[in-house]
């Protein structure tokens, strides 16, 4: 994968989605993004969407937990949380105990829980289900992602969407436009005495000749990039070890280091980069065995990444325009399996966070006894949530992106742009 300037990246606007997915996204570097922020900064009042994908099929019933429901306790004698263990949300539901930060955002009405979300005629395959979620096409296979089609209709500038992942996820590939990719890695600058000396070289001195001044500005720019985008905290071997530990149990893709991904996104938002949509991910949710400990660890990672991200964004005008959408390709079955885990299911909760979110419950909680072939029945169409963020965050016409689907969830989001 090559590094390109913004100008040369724009020449890729004619690639097809299939081509973009075949070769991966061309990576865009910090220089092109900072140049874009200087040349055409994002309107401070423009809404920004951050999509968080939880790969593997997160167990919704042990995320937003009906702990007092006898049917839940009976179906999961080893996996069930007790009422006193969960973080009470009301209406007989509570958050997983690993999500204390999100409970604080719930109390401030900055977190919406959309219940029973799924799609018609559910498919238990990771890859088919994720394709449906990312293309927003439950009936037929299409080669474009839902945010890729938004890119196609919104001016064909690939820097309007950025994936903070090694390759472009399908949701960001359109027919004529592919989003940018800027994986987390960070810049490594000298440390210790050498680092101090190197930083001093970036300080301009009065009366110096133009070439020395130019060199000083370049060094200063490097340090500014690390400040804005974050540096590389670990060497490659340490990062590989951490990634392996985080992603145990993953079977359907996804990234690790969610906090680092979101930290990068926050820096780009605050810098005024003209990006309206970002994609980040966390893998490992395919919990067929030993679920309780694994899932709680992952939900704690989600919580400790998302909460400071939202808190940080509350401190700036640009940050207050950000809305976060969290989803997984399906929930899990109501009844535990014989390995103290759960198998692939259907409906699950989605989280929507931010200053413009109408916090609280949205949608109907699925019944644990009125099931469809042992699966939860979908009560909220996922495209209703997509239509809401397209219209109320990105200012787009949902029908043009979602093949005529225009139904939104009432009062989920106050207009952000």
């Amino acid at each position: 994968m090559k590094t390109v300037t913004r100008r040369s990246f724009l020449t890729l606007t004619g690639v097809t989605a299939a081509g973009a997915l075949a070769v991966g996204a061309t990576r865009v570097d910090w220089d092109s993004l900072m140049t874009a922020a200087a040349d055409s900064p994002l309107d401070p009042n423009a809404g920004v969407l951050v999509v968080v994908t939880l790969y593997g099929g997160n167990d919704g019933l042990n995320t937003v937990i009906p702990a007092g429901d006898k049917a839940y306790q009976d179906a999961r004698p080893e996996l069930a949380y007790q009422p006193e263990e969960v973080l009470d949300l009301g209406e007989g539901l509570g958050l997983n105990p690993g999500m204390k930060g999100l409970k604080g955002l719930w109390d401030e009405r900055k977190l919406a829980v959309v219940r029973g979300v799924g799609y018609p005629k559910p498919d238990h395959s990771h890859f088919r289900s994720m394709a449906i979620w990312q293309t927003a096409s439950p009936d037929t296979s299409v080669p474009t992602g839902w945010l890729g089609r938004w890119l196609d209709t919104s001016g064909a500038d690939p820097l309007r969407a950025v994936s903070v992942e090694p390759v472009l996820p399908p949701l960001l590939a359109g027919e004529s436009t592919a989003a940018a990719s800027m994986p987390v890695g960070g810049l490594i600058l000298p440390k210790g005495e050498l680092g101090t000396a190197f930083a001093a070289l970036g300080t301009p001195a009065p009366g110096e000749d133009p070439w020395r001044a130019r060199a000083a500005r370049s060094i200063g720019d490097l340090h500014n990039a690390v400040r804005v985008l974050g540096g590389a905290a670990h060497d490659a071997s340490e990062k590989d070890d951490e990634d392996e530990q985080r992603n145990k149990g993953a079977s359907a893709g996804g990234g690790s280091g969610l906090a680092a991904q979101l930290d990068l996104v926050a820096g780009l938002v605050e810098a005024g980069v003209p990006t309206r949509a970002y994609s980040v991910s966390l893998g490992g949710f395919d919990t067929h065995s030993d679920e309780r400990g694994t899932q709680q660890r992952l939900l704690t990672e989600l919580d400790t990444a998302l909460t400071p991200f939202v808190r940080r964004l509350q401190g700036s005008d640009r940050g207050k325009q950000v809305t976060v959408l969290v989803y997984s390709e399906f929930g899990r079955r109501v009844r535990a399996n014989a390995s103290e885990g759960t198998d692939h299911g259907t409906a699950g909760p989605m989280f929507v966070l931010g200053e413009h979110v109408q916090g609280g419950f949205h949608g109907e909680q699925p019944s644990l006894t009125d099931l469809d072939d042992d699966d939860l029945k979908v009560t909220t169409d996922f495209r209703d949530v997509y239509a809401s963020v397209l219209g109320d965050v990105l200012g787009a016409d949902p029908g043009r992106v979602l093949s005529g689907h225009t139904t939104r969830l009432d009062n989920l989001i106050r207009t952000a742009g």
Side-chain angles (χ1 to χ4, degrees), residues 184-188 223-233 260 263-264 267 312:
V184 170
L187 298 170
I188 301 175
H223 283 87
N224 186 56
V226 171
R227 179 184 63 79
V228 173
L229 302 180
D263 190 54
L264 174 56
R312 174 178 173 178

Side-chain angles (χ1 to χ4, degrees), residues 51-76:
V51 178
V52 182
T53 302
L54 306 180
Y55 285 100
N58 178 45
D59 181 9
L61 287 176
N62 271 11
T63 303
V64 179
I65 305 171
D69 190 321
K70 185 176 183 300
Y72 164 78
Q73 296 289 341
D74 290 346
R76 302 176 166 213

Side-chain angles (χ1 to χ4, degrees), residues 23 75 142 234 255:
V23 301
V142 298
H234 309 288

Side-chain angles (χ1 to χ4, degrees), residues 55-57 124-127 247-254 283-288 329-330 332 344:
Y55 285 100
H124 289 131
S125 162
H126 285 292
F127 303 102
N247 282 326
K248 282 183 177 179
S251 66
F285 287 90
D286 195 20
T287 51
H288 288 279
E329 66 261 40
F330 44 62
R332 317 292 289 192
H344 300 176

Side-chain angles (χ1 to χ4, degrees), residues 33 71 77 110 131 155 178 210 225 236 310 314 325 342 352 355 359 384 389:
L33 288 168
K110 298 296 190 296
V310 173
Q314 288 174 332
L325 179 71
T342 51
V352 187
E355 290 292 310
D384 294 356
V389 297

Side-chain angles (χ1 to χ4, degrees), residues 20-362:
L21 292 173
V23 301
T26 300
R27 294 187 181 184
V28 62
D29 61 16
W30 71 270
D31 180 66
S32 56
L33 288 168
M34 292 302 106
T35 299
D39 292 347
S40 53
L42 187 65
D43 183 334
N45 296 315
V48 174
L49 177 66
V50 177
V51 178
V52 182
T53 302
L54 306 180
Y55 285 100
N58 178 45
D59 181 9
L61 287 176
N62 271 11
T63 303
V64 179
I65 305 171
D69 190 321
K70 185 176 183 300
Y72 164 78
Q73 296 289 341
D74 290 346
R76 302 176 166 213
E78 302 297 328
L79 290 182
Y81 286 89
Q82 299 305 309
E84 63 273 14
E85 294 180 284
V86 304
L87 307 172
D88 183 45
L89 301 179
E91 298 189 23
L93 298 170
L95 281 178
N96 186 285
M99 309 178 82
K100 294 179 176 62
L102 292 183
K103 174 56 164 62
L105 292 171
W106 169 273
D107 292 339
E108 297 172 21
R109 307 290 294 177
K110 298 296 190 296
L111 168 64
V113 175
V114 187
R115 300 180 290 191
V117 186
Y119 57 86
K121 300 178 182 177
D123 191 303
H124 289 131
S125 162
H126 285 292
F127 303 102
R128 176 61 186 145
S129 187
M130 186 55 73
I132 289 170
W133 276 89
Q134 296 212 8
T135 64
S137 180
D139 299 319
T140 58
S141 297
V142 298
T144 56
W146 66 282
L147 284 176
R149 295 194 296 275
W150 165 74
L151 277 172
D152 288 339
T153 65
S154 66
D157 182 351
L159 292 187
R160 288 171 68 82
V162 171
S163 169
V164 189
E165 300 169 90
V167 296
L168 188 72
L171 82 161
L172 290 178
E175 182 176 357
S176 61
T177 308
S181 176
M182 186 177 179
V184 170
L187 298 170
I188 301 175
L189 297 181
K191 293 180 170 36
E193 292 183 6
L194 179 60
T196 301
F198 183 69
L201 293 175
T203 304
E208 63 188 357
D209 63 72
W211 290 108
R212 290 176 185 271
R214 183 173 180 179
R217 285 197 301 271
S218 296
I219 294 169
D221 286 345
L222 281 174
H223 283 87
N224 186 56
V226 171
R227 179 184 63 79
V228 173
L229 302 180
H234 309 288
D235 65 30
S237 62
E238 289 174 342
K239 184 178 185 300
D240 289 344
D241 290 342
E242 289 179 4
D243 287 354
E244 182 179 356
Q245 290 301 314
R246 283 193 184 102
N247 282 326
K248 282 183 177 179
S251 66
S256 63
L258 180 61
Q261 296 176 45
L262 290 173
D263 190 54
L264 174 56
V265 171
L268 296 175
V269 169
E270 291 164 350
V273 169
T275 299
R276 298 288 304 277
Y278 293 91
S279 173
V280 300
S281 66
L282 177 65
F285 287 90
D286 195 20
T287 51
H288 288 279
S289 62
D290 302 322
E291 175 184 304
R292 184 159 159 160
T294 299
Q295 189 203 25
Q296 186 165 330
R297 172 179 57 81
L298 288 167
L299 291 178
T300 300
E301 181 174 352
L302 175 67
D303 183 83
T304 56
L306 269 181
T307 305
F309 175 71
V310 173
R311 296 291 186 203
R312 174 178 173 178
L313 293 176
Q314 288 174 332
S316 68
D317 290 339
R318 293 187 190 277
K320 289 176 181 176
Q321 305 305 316
V322 174
T323 298
V324 183
L325 179 71
V326 184
Y327 79 99
S328 192
E329 66 261 40
F330 44 62
R332 317 292 289 192
R333 292 212 155 184
V334 176
R335 187 165 298 280
N337 61 29
S339 302
E340 297 186 14
T342 51
D343 297 325
H344 300 176
T346 52
M350 291 178 72
F351 293 148
V352 187
L353 306 92
E355 290 292 310
H356 291 271
V357 170
Q358 299 280 14
F361 289 120
H362 298 262

